[in-house]
Structure formats: C-alpha cells, structure tokens
Amino acid sequence: MSTPQSLTHSQIDFVNNDFEALASHMRHCARAHGRWFPVRSHMQRVRALLAGRIVTMACVAVAFVGMGLFALA
C-alpha cells in the first residue's frame, strides 16, 4: 500500500537555507562597517537634512539673485 504524497517528508531544508542567508547578511554587514563607515554615516545624515530643504534653498537663491539684478538695473 502506498503512502499519500502529503504525508511524506519534504526534501527542502529550510534551516540550512536560512543559515546561509543569515551568514551572507552578516558578511555584507561586516563589509559595510569598514574604515569609512563613520564618514558615510555622517554624510548620509547631512544629505537627509538638506534634501528636504533643497527646493527652498534654490528658491531663496533665485530670489536673492533676482533682487540683486533688479537693484543693479
């Protein structure tokens, strides 16, 4: 008598695949925290701070240039 397919054990090894994925992630993180990590981290914070204000700063710069040109005319 044969056993139904649903009751047989799966050949997929989920634990080994998870372990390999975790090891890969840990190697990636270790490489990312190299010598220049503090500099890149600081630059990322500065970029995030300025990115929200870039349009405002450009508009203010255009306004100042416009006023300067109007004052010279």
Side-chain angles (χ1 to χ4, degrees):
M1 179 166 217
S2 65
T3 307
Q5 197 68 358
S6 63
L7 297 178
T8 60
H9 293 290
S10 175
Q11 297 299 324
I12 301 172
D13 186 8
F14 290 109
V15 174
N16 192 31
N17 290 340
D18 287 346
F19 180 74
E20 289 173 9
L22 178 61
S24 173
H25 175 74
M26 294 300 288
R27 282 191 300 273
H28 183 315
C29 287
R31 280 193 306 261
H33 286 82
R35 182 186 338 174
W36 292 100
F37 177 73
V39 174
R40 285 193 313 260
S41 178
H42 180 69
M43 293 303 293
Q44 187 174 12
R45 273 188 254 128
V46 169
R47 180 177 171 226
L49 180 73
L50 295 178
R53 294 166 178 81
I54 192 91
V55 173
T56 303
M57 291 188 313
C59 289
V60 168
V62 167
F64 279 137
V65 169
M67 287 189 292
L69 290 175
F70 183 73
L72 289 175

